[in-house]
Amino acid sequence: MIVCYAHGGGLGHLTRIRAYLHTRAVRGPVTILTGSPFAADPRVTGGHPVRSAPAGLGRDGLTRWIASALAELAPAELVVDAFPAGLTGELSARAVPPGVRVVHLARLLRWDAYRPLLPAEPLGFDETWLVEPVAAEHEAYLRSVAAALAPLELAEPPVAAPSPTRPGGWLVVHSGPPGETAELVAYARETAALEGVRPRLTLVSPIRPATLPDDVAHLDVYPAWPLFADAERIVTAAGFNAVRQAAPWAGRHRMMPFPRRFDDQFARAARVRGGRGRPAPVGNDGDEAVKT
């Protein structure tokens, strides 16, 4: 049994866990612990069993919930996504039973903002995989708590049922919140005007925002990246998965970074625009792979 801890309110943690399980060719039972509202969507979880954290738990409550789940599930391995101490500092050495192998997937964080959450008894990692370059202080911390640290290029799992719809035109891809989606649609319009074109716009998102203009089509497709090959432009935020998945079509990709409590979308966008850092592959069957 492998337990994956992917706590967070967005779609990105679950998408990254699925890519990790595929990249590492993980076999056998997997259970995902999460607080994401997208965990109810089998397209996102890939059919793996999910345990959702009760709403409203603080740090101590999450620590107890994790410890209880791990004691019951008795995993051989725990995979911790993104946050080495959890989203609120709930992960420490005391939360994980002895003998459980612990793996960490490390991505870019605003380390000055996150560092105060580190516990007095930090969780140690048997392996830490850098799925993108991180800040120097962040990497130094990881080296202090990990027995091994190495880069890992993630590849997406194959798509079982490709979408029959191939919208082409310009794609705006975002899972929310609605205010950010509206900003991305406006950014796509402004960018098109600067390029002197009037493209067909399609929003790919789990929910059609009430304020979406009538002339913008909406698709609820997951994953969205198989649509990128036919798109004239791909407009996204600068989250890890969006940037990684769009990299094979970097010349068509337009990013608008948004502020996050811990994710540094601005640094990621600057790195990609400056040509620094190697993105990870998207597909596993020769999909223009190379390149969050």
Side-chain angles (χ1 to χ4, degrees):
M1 164 70 72
I2 293 177
V3 169
C4 299
Y5 187 61
H7 193 52
L11 185 58
H13 297 281
L14 297 174
T15 297
R16 187 166 39 253
I17 284 292
R18 287 285 312 285
Y20 168 78
L21 294 173
H22 171 68
T23 302
R24 299 288 291 163
V26 172
R27 300 290 181 263
V30 172
T31 296
I32 300 174
L33 307 183
T34 185
S36 172
F38 296 99
D41 189 336
R43 298 175 302 175
V44 176
T45 60
H48 294 301
V50 173
R51 294 198 179 190
S52 295
L57 289 182
R59 183 191 62 189
D60 293 342
L62 277 171
T63 299
R64 289 190 292 270
W65 177 74
I66 295 163
S68 175
L70 293 179
E72 179 185 344
L73 294 168
E77 182 171 293
L78 171 67
V79 180
V80 177
D81 182 59
F83 307 118
L87 184 59
T88 63
E90 69 273 15
L91 282 179
S92 69
R94 290 181 295 175
V96 180
V100 176
R101 187 172 185 272
V102 186
V103 176
H104 177 44
L105 306 184
R107 66 149 170 83
L108 186 64
L109 295 177
R110 295 177 54 234
W111 191 244
D112 285 348
Y114 186 78
R115 184 172 49 206
L117 297 181
L118 298 175
E121 298 178 57
L123 184 61
F125 302 109
D126 295 275
E127 285 181 331
T128 289
W129 297 106
L130 292 172
V131 295
E132 66 177 337
V134 301
E137 290 187 10
H138 183 181
E139 182 171 340
Y141 173 78
L142 294 175
R143 290 188 183 279
S144 75
V145 295
L149 185 145
L152 179 67
E153 294 184 346
L154 296 180
E156 295 299 323
V159 179
S163 171
T165 305
R166 312 294 292 190
W170 285 38
L171 299 183
V172 179
V173 183
H174 200 49
S175 60
E180 291 184 354
T181 301
E183 288 189 59
L184 281 174
V185 170
Y187 171 61
R189 290 192 190 279
E190 293 168 5
T191 303
L194 289 172
E195 294 187 18
V197 295
R198 298 184 64 184
R200 180 173 70 256
L201 287 180
T202 300
L203 170 66
V204 183
S205 182
I207 299 173
R208 180 187 178 100
T211 58
L212 190 70
D214 292 339
D215 61 340
V216 179
H218 171 253
L219 283 177
D220 176 10
V221 173
Y222 182 90
W225 66 262
L227 304 178
F228 292 175
D230 295 331
E232 297 168 12
R233 293 288 183 273
I234 306 154
V235 181
T236 73
F240 171 84
N241 293 298
V243 172
R244 176 176 61 84
Q245 292 169 343
W249 305 277
R252 311 177 204 173
H253 188 201
R254 304 293 182 266
M255 286 174 286
M256 172 182 275
F258 288 105
R260 293 288 185 265
R261 182 183 178 193
F262 296 132
D263 188 17
D264 197 338
Q265 293 198 6
F266 294 90
R268 182 177 296 113
R271 175 187 294 156
V272 173
R273 288 165 178 160
R276 298 185 299 279
R278 184 185 178 199
V282 170
N284 67 332
D285 296 313
D287 299 284
E288 298 181 281
V290 170
K291 182 203 123 230
T292 168

